[in-house]
């Protein structure tokens, strides 16, 4: 063990050997926190003699739990690695042992999304609901919100109500929300099924109502360690407080600068205020970064320092100096994609494997132009947690509509004849198939010939034929972009996606429309629909070699906890990163933390890029505020925006910031302060209207006071 301890730096050593009491470790990105956790576990077992079964180590994903088990096994040589698990996994252990306390069998069912959808299907059929009332995805989200916020005591119904009483409650429900919610609870009770929320709630209920069971687990868990503590939510926090109530040995590790899951209920304040909630807390700072070069860390430190709600710290570089961080401003998104591709080719030519290169982005739809460029340049790539752009369902559907208009081919027909739903299901397709085989015609012709047949009564067959014929007759006289926009509208396809609540799919369609527009511009009058379909087929039928040596493409959220030698962070534009959905000051700080997480993934070199142009809504695309947050001297500007664009961007960012909920100006004024306004001259603050983000000011030259927004600069005199 002594040999192992010698491998640790001072702060890691302190974390590993501090065993008693409440300990908080603020561990920066790349500081070796996983090593500290696994070595501490080994220290408790090998050096102190604690039994592994008396240690709880909580991680946030099953993957990291498995990795931790493997590390600890190597360090201790013991097959017993205690309770190394996620919160949910540990709650399963509690319930498997003590489910009798809630009258549930040991063989209870842990529900996944598929199970929940199957239950929803039963409820919808039983109560005459359709996806127009609520999509399954929205229903799952609604159920979760009801459980977390609206009816946090719901679990009492599952535990105390009889199955008949719960069914009655479900049948008496009138509005869609309550029908779905109580229908789901009833279905759960019926099969003794528990979802992720229930596991935590049931475990807490048992501990709160059965002192003997609580004490048994408290005594058993002599040491508790929790990783990624910045991502903990309220229920997990409550459970943790209960579990450490006997031995009072709690060790938490986290980084407030990497809190990126507040939308899932994570609350960074549990980490920030840990020393205020527990007695005699020992705080250990682990800031030494063993992952990234000093040049990368200079950029990361500069960026995150602009957040106000954080524990101030700088990552300290332990790696030697290397190359600068590159920043490239492109005039168009195509130019940005070309620059990235050229950089990758250069890296590869100089001996870097493709698999050592990763491209990160805020949203999947930005990959389209990159993919096109990579396919042209034969750069192999793979997309993590996503599907290649032209293989995405909505893109294939949209292109099938265009192919249907042009060629009326069978593949396109079979793909979209019932998308959106036209009541032309398998039985009717089988009828058409038989007709096609007997008459040697296309499916479209078969439908045309038979649309008056009784089998197609009550379907959208005639409307579909009319739609395709109408577009086929005049597409040659129209631009491709017009045809695409109209067919997606008139077919009801976009309406279907809106009904499903699929914003990401709608964003992807907007990106496809942009790709068509770009094609039209590049081809001029020669931009014909058949030519475009031939052009795009090159991307859908890519024959790049399927080897493991590929460039990785993934969202920043997917990259959390990972590291890569070369990282390209692309599409660093306002409205993309930060997301256009960011409405609060708190939300903007989370977006900045997300950007920080992205940049701290890079080990050897970091590349930042963005492109001028226009967004889907026609607005001008500006460089991201996160570029401006970085000290200019920390970046090597390969190509930078001109001064007028920089001024415009900064004005836009300033305006946007002042409209965020929770915004207060840096220089706030108080009642009675004398001020000067650029237009109205001198005056005095009469009141501060925080709810309106404005001051009430009585100007010397005006009879009545004026309400003046915080966003307008005023000076104190």
């Amino acid at each position: 063990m002594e040999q192992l301890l010698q491998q640790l730096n001072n702060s890691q050593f302190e974390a590993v050997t501090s065993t008693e009491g409440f300990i908080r470790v603020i561990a920066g990105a790349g500081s070796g926190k996983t090593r500290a956790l696994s070595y501490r576990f080994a220290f408790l077992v090998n050096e102190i003699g604690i039994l592994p079964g008396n240690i709880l180590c909580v991680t946030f994903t099953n993957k990291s739990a498995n990795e931790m088990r493997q590390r600890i096994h190597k360090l201790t040589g013991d097959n017993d690695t205690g309770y190394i698990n996620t919160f949910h996994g540990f709650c399963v252990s509690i319930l498997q042992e003590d489910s009798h306390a809630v009258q549930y069998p040991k063989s209870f069912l842990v529900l996944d999304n598929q199970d929940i959808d199957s239950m929803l299907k039963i409820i919808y059929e039983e109560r005459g609901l359709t996806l127009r009332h609520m999509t399954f995805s929205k229903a799952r989200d609604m159920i979760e919100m009801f459980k977390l916020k609206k009816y946090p005591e719901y679990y009492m119904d599952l535990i105390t109500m009889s199955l008949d009483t719960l069914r009655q409650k479900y049948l008496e429900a009138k509005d869609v929300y309550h029908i779905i919610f109580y229908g789901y609870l009833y279905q759960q009770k019926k099969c003794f099924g528990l979802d992720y929320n229930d596991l935590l709630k049931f475990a807490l209920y048992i501990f709160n109502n059965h002192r003997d069971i609580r004490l048994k687990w408290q005594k058993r868990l002599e040491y508790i360690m929790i990783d990624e503590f910045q991502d903990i939510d309220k229920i997990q926090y409550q459970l943790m407080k209960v579990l450490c109530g006997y031995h009072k040995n709690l060790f938490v590790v986290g980084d407030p600068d990497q809190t990126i899951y507040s939308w899932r209920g994570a609350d960074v304040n549990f980490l920030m205020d840990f020393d205020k909630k527990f007695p005699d807390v020992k705080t250990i700072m682990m800031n030494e970064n063993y992952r990234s070069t000093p040049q990368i860390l200079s950029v990361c430190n500069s960026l995150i320092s602009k957040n106000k709600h954080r524990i101030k710290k700088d990552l300290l570089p332990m790696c030697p100096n290397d190359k600068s961080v590159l920043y490239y401003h492109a005039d168009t998104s195509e130019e940005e994609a070309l620059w990235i591709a050229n950089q990758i080719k250069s890296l590869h030519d100089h001996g870097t494997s493709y698999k050592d290169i990763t491209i990160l982005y805020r949203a999947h739809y930005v990959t389209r132009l990159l993919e096109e460029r990579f396919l042209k340049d034969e750069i192999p790539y793979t997309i993590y947690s996503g599907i290649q752009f032209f293989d995405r369902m909505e893109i294939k559907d949209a292109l099938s509509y265009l192919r249907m208009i042009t060629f009326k081919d069978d593949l396109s027909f079979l793909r979209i004849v019932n998308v959106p739903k036209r009541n032309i299901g398998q039985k009717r397709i089988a009828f058409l198939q038989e007709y096609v085989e007997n008459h040697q015609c296309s499916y479209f012709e078969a439908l045309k010939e038979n649309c008056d047949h009784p089998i197609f009564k009550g379907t959208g067959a005639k409307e579909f034929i009319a739609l395709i014929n109408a577009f086929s007759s005049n597409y040659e006289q129209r631009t491709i972009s017009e045809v695409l926009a109209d067919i997606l509208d008139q077919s009801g396809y976009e309406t279907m996606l809106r009904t499903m609540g699929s914003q990401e799919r709608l964003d992807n369609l907007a990106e496809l429309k942009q790709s068509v527009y770009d094609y039209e511009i590049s081809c001029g009058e020669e931009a014909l629909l058949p030519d475009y379909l031939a052009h795009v087929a090159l991307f859908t039928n890519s024959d790049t070699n399927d080897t493991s040596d590929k460039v990785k493409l993934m969202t920043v959220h997917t990259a959390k906890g990972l590291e890569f030698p070369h990282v390209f962070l692309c599409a660093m534009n306002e409205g993309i990163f930060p997301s256009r959905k960011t409405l609060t000051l708190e939300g903007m700080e989370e977006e900045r933390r997300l950007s920080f997480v992205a940049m701290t993934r890079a080990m050897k070199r970091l590349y930042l890029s963005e492109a001028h142009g226009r967004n889907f809504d026609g607005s001008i695309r500006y460089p991201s505020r996160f570029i401006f947050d970085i000290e200019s001297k920390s970046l090597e500007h390969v190509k930078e925006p001109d001064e007028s664009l920089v001024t415009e961007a900064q004005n836009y960012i300033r305006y946007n910031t002042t409209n965020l909920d929770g915004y207060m100006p840096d220089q706030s004024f108080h009642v009675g302060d004398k001020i000067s306004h650029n237009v109205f001259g001198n005056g005095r603050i009469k009141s501060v209207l925080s709810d309106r983000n404005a001051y009430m000011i009585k100007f010397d030259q005006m009879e009545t006071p004026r309400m003046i927004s915080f966003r307008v600069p005023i000076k104190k005199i």
Side-chain angles (χ1 to χ4, degrees):
M1 192 71 213
E2 196 172 328
Q3 212 173 357
L4 290 172
L5 294 177
Q6 286 171 0
Q7 300 170 15
L8 305 173
N9 65 33
N10 290 340
S11 55
Q12 289 170 341
F13 181 86
E14 190 181 4
V16 167
T17 56
S18 300
T19 61
E20 306 309 300
F22 297 98
I23 301 159
R24 172 178 66 173
V25 179
I26 306 294
S31 63
K33 66 180 179 66
T34 308
R35 169 185 268 204
L37 278 161
S38 49
Y39 275 47
R40 187 175 190 267
F41 194 111
F43 183 80
L44 288 169
V45 173
N46 294 348
E47 204 68 19
I48 296 179
I50 305 299
L51 298 175
N54 291 346
I55 304 171
L56 169 65
C57 182
V58 178
T59 65
F60 265 75
T61 65
N62 289 315
K63 183 174 175 256
S64 52
N66 288 331
E67 285 172 3
M68 188 74 75
R69 276 189 216 104
Q70 287 165 15
R71 283 193 184 215
I72 288 167
H73 174 66
K74 281 180 186 172
L75 292 168
T76 63
D78 197 328
N79 286 326
D80 182 2
T81 49
Y83 295 101
I84 302 172
N85 222 321
T86 62
F87 269 113
H88 296 104
F90 177 64
C91 286
V92 169
S93 300
I94 295 168
L95 290 167
Q96 282 173 339
E97 196 169 310
D98 293 305
S99 61
H100 60 89
V102 285
Q103 293 83 53
Y104 268 56
K106 288 191 189 306
S107 58
F108 65 88
L109 192 65
V110 180
L111 303 171
D112 60 18
N113 280 349
Q114 249 181 332
D115 298 322
I116 297 169
D117 285 355
S118 300
M119 290 177 172
L120 289 170
K121 197 174 175 189
I122 295 168
I123 297 160
Y124 279 43
E125 284 173 3
E126 230 174 42
R127 298 296 302 268
L129 301 180
T130 70
L131 294 178
R132 289 193 177 276
H133 289 101
M134 197 179 299
T135 63
F136 284 0
S137 162
K138 279 197 173 171
R140 288 197 305 271
D141 289 347
M142 181 274 292
I143 290 166
E144 188 166 9
M145 290 315 294
F146 268 39
K147 286 187 171 185
L148 291 174
K149 300 253 172 96
K150 197 164 182 180
Y151 300 118
E153 305 297 313
Y154 75 90
Y155 61 94
M156 294 300 294
D157 289 359
L158 284 173
I159 294 169
T160 60
M161 277 189 184
S162 70
L163 193 60
D164 286 344
T165 310
L166 202 50
R167 179 164 174 79
Q168 204 53 43
K169 203 165 181 177
Y170 155 55
L171 293 173
E172 286 169 2
K174 296 286 188 278
D175 67 276
V176 171
Y177 290 90
H178 288 93
I179 289 170
I180 293 170
F181 184 63
Y182 287 111
Y184 176 63
L185 293 188
Y186 167 66
Q187 291 295 331
Q188 276 193 279
K189 180 90 174 181
K190 201 171 166 188
C191 67
F192 293 112
L194 299 176
D195 61 30
Y196 277 19
N197 292 301
D198 307 328
L199 294 171
L200 294 161
K201 290 276 193 179
F202 272 48
L204 264 174
Y205 172 86
I206 291 171
F207 288 156
N208 289 335
N209 290 274
H210 298 268
R211 186 176 175 277
D212 55 331
I213 298 174
R214 179 177 74 239
L215 199 58
K216 174 186 73 174
W217 283 96
Q218 286 177 331
K219 284 182 174 180
R220 187 183 300 177
L221 302 175
E222 295 174 2
Y223 294 89
I224 298 171
M225 299 190 280
I226 300 178
D227 192 12
E228 305 286 4
F229 197 72
Q230 75 278 354
D231 294 328
I232 202 168
D233 64 28
K234 190 177 175 182
I235 302 172
Q236 292 163 344
Y237 181 77
Q238 288 170 343
L239 185 64
M240 175 213 73
K241 271 187 78 176
V242 171
L243 289 170
C244 70
Y246 185 80
H247 294 291
K248 297 183 170 47
N249 288 326
L250 178 61
F251 179 91
V252 304
V253 186
D255 182 7
D257 291 335
Q258 295 188 69
T259 307
I260 59 174
Y261 293 118
S262 62
W263 50 277
R264 271 190 346 206
D267 188 345
V268 69
N269 291 312
F270 291 134
L271 179 60
M272 300 272 283
D273 300 334
F274 189 80
D275 56 336
K276 299 185 185 81
K277 303 293 181 184
F278 294 93
D280 304 319
V281 170
K282 181 178 187 177
T283 295
I284 301 167
M285 304 294 286
M286 281 174 43
N287 293 339
E288 294 94 339
N289 178 287
Y290 295 88
R291 177 186 297 156
S292 309
T293 66
Q295 289 82 355
I296 293 168
L297 293 184
S298 171
V299 164
C300 299
N301 287 331
S302 180
L303 170 75
I304 200 64
S305 67
K306 306 304 184 293
N307 269 5
K308 290 187 170 64
H309 189 59
R310 63 188 291 261
I311 294 172
K312 286 186 179 175
K313 65 179 190 317
D314 277 343
L315 295 172
L316 306 172
M318 296 291 119
C319 296
N321 277 308
D322 209 324
K323 293 173 181 169
S324 56
V325 175
L326 297 184
Y327 164 50
Y328 187 84
H329 165 79
D331 293 327
T332 64
S333 295
E334 288 83 358
E335 187 191 311
E336 182 185 10
L338 179 63
W339 180 75
I340 291 171
N342 287 340
Q343 292 295 319
I344 290 171
K345 283 191 286 188
S346 174
L347 282 167
H348 191 252
D349 290 345
H350 287 86
T352 301
S353 299
Y354 286 125
K355 64 181 180 208
D356 287 339
I357 302 167
T358 302
I359 298 174
L360 301 181
Y361 40 83
R362 182 67 178 85
H364 277 301
Y365 67 84
V366 305
T367 66
R368 192 262 305 175
L369 287 168
L370 277 170
E371 291 186 62
E372 287 190 9
R373 174 48 56 189
F374 288 0
L375 290 164
K376 279 178 185 169
D377 292 355
E378 296 183 340
I379 296 172
Y381 69 93
T382 183
I383 294 185
Y384 284 67
S385 284
I387 303 165
Q388 297 186 356
F389 186 81
F390 287 102
D391 286 338
R392 289 170 190 158
M393 177 197 87
E394 60 280 7
I395 304 302
K396 279 185 170 289
D397 289 345
L399 292 174
S400 291
Y401 267 108
L402 293 182
R403 279 178 39 173
M404 202 60 215
I405 292 165
T406 317
F407 307 116
K408 300 186 178 69
D409 64 297
D410 287 351
L411 283 175
S412 301
F413 177 93
L414 290 169
R415 185 172 181 95
I416 52 104
V417 68
N418 205 36
V419 182
K421 291 273 191 289
R422 298 185 178 95
N423 206 17
I424 304 173
Q426 287 179 354
K427 187 180 167 187
R428 294 182 173 98
I429 293 293
F431 173 89
L432 289 175
Q433 187 178 356
E434 191 178 335
Y435 189 91
V436 165
E437 287 168 1
N438 292 335
H439 295 80
Q440 296 298 297
C441 62
S442 70
Y443 274 88
F444 186 74
E445 286 167 336
L447 187 64
K448 247 171 69 174
E449 294 295 321
N450 291 283
C451 63
D452 288 324
H453 192 284
I455 196 170
F456 290 105
K457 193 178 176 184
T459 70
K462 284 186 177 177
E463 290 81 359
F464 179 71
I465 292 163
L467 178 81
I468 299 302
N469 282 339
F471 276 86
S472 296
S473 65
N474 66 12
Y475 78 85
E476 290 174 337
Q477 286 81 52
R478 304 174 69 196
T479 64
I480 307 166
S481 48
E482 269 183 71
V483 173
L484 177 61
D486 283 357
I487 193 76
L488 290 174
D489 176 40
Q490 291 180 37
S491 65
Y493 191 83
E494 281 192 328
T495 305
M496 175 190 79
L497 291 186
R498 285 195 188 90
T499 307
M500 289 164 63
S502 300
Q503 187 55 49
E504 191 174 346
R505 294 194 186 282
L506 289 165
D507 283 347
N508 287 334
L509 283 182
E511 185 61 31
L512 179 68
K513 290 173 186 174
Q514 184 63 45
S515 87
V516 171
Y517 183 65
D518 294 344
Y519 177 80
E520 287 172 337
I521 289 173
S522 65
C523 298
E525 289 178 6
E526 305 304 311
L528 302 172
L529 182 53
D531 296 330
Y532 172 72
L533 290 169
H535 161 80
V536 90
L538 296 172
F539 304 121
T540 53
N541 299 320
S542 163
D543 58 356
T544 49
N545 289 332
D546 188 25
T547 69
S548 57
D549 189 28
K550 296 177 179 179
V551 176
K552 299 179 186 76
L553 276 71
M554 65 181 79
T555 64
V556 181
H557 280 102
T558 303
K560 175 83 165 30
L562 305 174
E563 58 185 32
F564 316 100
H566 297 268
V567 170
F568 290 81
L569 183 52
C570 67
M572 290 291 286
N573 290 96
E574 286 291 304
I576 300 176
F577 203 176
S579 163
R580 65 183 185 275
K581 296 172 186 173
T582 310
L583 302 173
T584 64
L585 205 62
E586 198 178 28
M588 189 59 74
E589 291 218 337
E590 177 141 342
E591 286 288 297
R592 188 174 285 106
R593 289 195 295 269
L594 190 59
S595 180
F596 173 79
V597 165
M599 294 179 193
T600 52
R601 299 311 92 197
M603 299 162 74
K604 290 184 178 179
R605 200 164 200 191
L606 175 64
Y607 306 75
L608 307 175
S609 64
E610 49 81 19
H612 193 41
R614 293 194 177 270
N615 296 308
F616 299 146
D617 60 1
S619 59
I620 293 172
R621 191 176 279 180
Y622 295 115
S624 167
R625 66 190 66 204
F626 303 146
I627 297 287
F628 297 121
D629 282 344
I630 299 164
E631 284 184 41
S632 190
K633 66 180 183 187
S634 298
L635 294 172
E636 182 184 332
H637 295 76
V638 182
K639 184 183 170 194
E640 52 188 325
D642 60 48
E643 281 185 33
S644 62
L645 182 61
V646 170
T647 304
E648 267 186 61
Q650 288 175 333
N651 286 336
Y652 169 83
I653 291 163
R654 198 177 297 115
Y655 177 82
N656 179 271
T657 303
T658 58
N659 283 317
L660 293 173
D661 287 347
Y663 169 77
M664 286 291 287
D666 287 338
Q667 187 190 2
S668 51
F669 298 92
H670 303 96
V671 174
D673 286 351
K674 285 215 72 173
I675 56 93
S676 171
H677 184 281
N678 284 342
V679 177
F680 290 162
N682 295 344
R684 193 178 292 276
I685 306 282
K686 301 293 289 181
S687 58
V688 181
L689 309 168
S690 301
D691 59 326
R692 304 288 302 276
N693 284 344
Y695 298 110
M696 187 65 78
I697 304 176
K698 171 69 175 70
F699 292 99
D700 297 349
Q701 305 302 315
M702 304 175 79
E703 286 188 24
T704 55
R706 295 287 185 272
M707 196 182 295
I708 304 294
S709 165
F710 285 163
R711 66 172 172 263
V712 174
I714 55 176
K715 294 176 189 167
K716 195 169 183 177
I717 54 174

